[in-house]
Amino acid sequence: MNPPRGKPRGIFTVRIKKSIFNSLAIAVQRIVGHLIGDVDVVNLREIDIKGSCLGCLECAYDNHCVYEGKDDYIDFFNNRIMAADILIWAGTITDRYLSWRWKMFFDRSFFRGHAPSLSGKQIGIIISGPLSQLPNLRQIFEAYVEMQRANLVGMLTDEFGDSSRIDEQLSSFLNRMRHHADQQFIAAPTFLGVAGTNLFRDEIWGRLRFPFRADFVEYKRAGVFDFPQSHWHHRIQNSIMLLLSRSPKFRSQVNKRMKDEIIKPFKKVLKNK
């Protein structure tokens, strides 16, 4: 969501630990002082998140999560994450990823399904730790941002150089962030974004149209189905299932069986282990 130029720009900064650039808090203060507009600084530990995603897929039909009304995450994501046009995420590497709290943050965002929720936003990532030794972690962020149809301005770490050098990199990082936001720049997707989007496009059009009805509606609205497949068997099956899913009783029975059906193809393999 990009406001008219010249108006204050909502800035969203997420932080989790105080251990970057000698102190993560110092880096956050630099960001707040450098950017123009309303700056919202959030510590994920202060957000009431009752638990991780349960994988129940009850949100697949209409994006309503089983946690709805039970904690603050959904309102937090809808009203603060999605309301910002610039997102800066900061965290410390823990066990080749970020913290468990960050994992919970990303997992719970699945209540929005596979449809992009951060389209058009500028995203920057500040990481304390040896990011250069974890190309998989870097690729996770790159693919995530591209499939969100957002723009990854860059990833900055404290693993190289002294404090003055890192300070220069932070200033350059923030200048690019402002410039890209002013120009509403979104980089062209790489293979990660194109392949990932096409994979979900074909699956949501085909065999996953049910139960992911909310994804299908959003993909159709956004024009994602630019190369639909025939797959008549899946289309007929989905039409029948979608018709039946209008019944709350039927959806209730589907939700009870969802987890068993997901692992059903793997049961034979698991029994032999």
Side-chain angles (χ1 to χ4, degrees), residues 61 210 213 240-248 250-251:
Y61 186 79
F210 180 85
R213 176 183 176 275
I240 295 172
M241 297 298 286
L242 287 170
L243 181 63
L244 292 172
S245 69
R246 294 181 181 180
S247 165
F250 176 82
R251 292 209 307 272

Side-chain angles (χ1 to χ4, degrees), residues 8 18 42 115 133 176 193 209 213 216:
K18 298 179 179 180
V42 177
Q133 300 177 32
R176 292 198 309 275
R209 188 180 305 190
R213 176 183 176 275
F216 180 81

Side-chain angles (χ1 to χ4, degrees), residues 79-99:
N79 299 327
R80 299 173 76 177
I81 292 287
M82 293 185 64
D85 64 332
I86 293 178
L87 300 170
I88 302 177
W89 297 331
T92 302
I93 289 177
T94 304
D95 297 330
R96 293 174 291 182
Y97 191 69
L98 301 184
S99 69

Side-chain angles (χ1 to χ4, degrees), residues 114-270:
H114 301 95
S117 301
L118 308 179
S119 180
K121 300 185 186 300
Q122 303 295 325
I123 296 179
I125 301 172
I126 299 177
I127 294 179
S128 179
L131 181 62
S132 64
Q133 300 177 32
L134 299 170
N136 182 62
L137 179 58
R138 175 179 289 274
Q139 192 172 76
I140 287 173
F141 285 125
E142 291 171 346
Y144 177 82
V145 173
E146 287 190 19
M147 292 187 65
Q148 288 290 326
R149 298 191 174 185
N151 183 55
L152 181 59
V153 176
M155 286 181 271
L156 184 63
T157 78
D158 60 355
E159 59 183 318
F160 301 118
D162 55 22
S163 58
S164 60
R165 175 59 177 163
I166 294 174
D167 193 61
E168 291 175 2
Q169 292 175 347
L170 179 60
S171 296
S172 175
F173 172 83
L174 294 173
N175 286 333
R176 292 198 309 275
M177 180 76 70
R178 290 197 303 175
H179 178 70
H180 288 180
D182 289 339
Q183 300 299 317
Q184 299 183 11
F185 173 76
I186 303 294
T190 66
F191 173 80
L192 295 173
V194 173
T197 298
N198 288 351
L199 183 145
F200 283 113
R201 174 202 66 185
D202 292 349
E203 291 299 298
I204 296 300
W205 171 265
R207 66 188 183 92
L208 293 183
R209 188 180 305 190
F210 180 85
F212 290 104
R213 176 183 176 275
D215 282 341
F216 180 81
V217 171
E218 178 59 24
Y219 277 28
K220 187 174 182 179
R221 184 199 66 79
V224 176
F225 296 128
D226 54 355
F227 185 60
Q229 308 296 317
S230 296
H231 296 162
W232 287 104
H233 172 76
H234 294 309
R235 293 173 68 175
I236 294 172
Q237 183 183 58
N238 281 322
S239 295
I240 295 172
M241 297 298 286
L242 287 170
L243 181 63
L244 292 172
S245 69
R246 294 181 181 180
S247 165
K249 186 176 181 180
F250 176 82
R251 292 209 307 272
S252 176
Q253 291 300 314
V254 169
N255 288 335
K256 289 179 181 179
R257 295 178 54 184
M258 188 68 73
K259 289 184 179 179
D260 289 335
E261 291 298 321
I262 290 173
I263 65 174
K264 187 176 181 179
F266 306 103
K267 284 187 175 180
K268 184 177 180 180
V269 177
L270 294 174

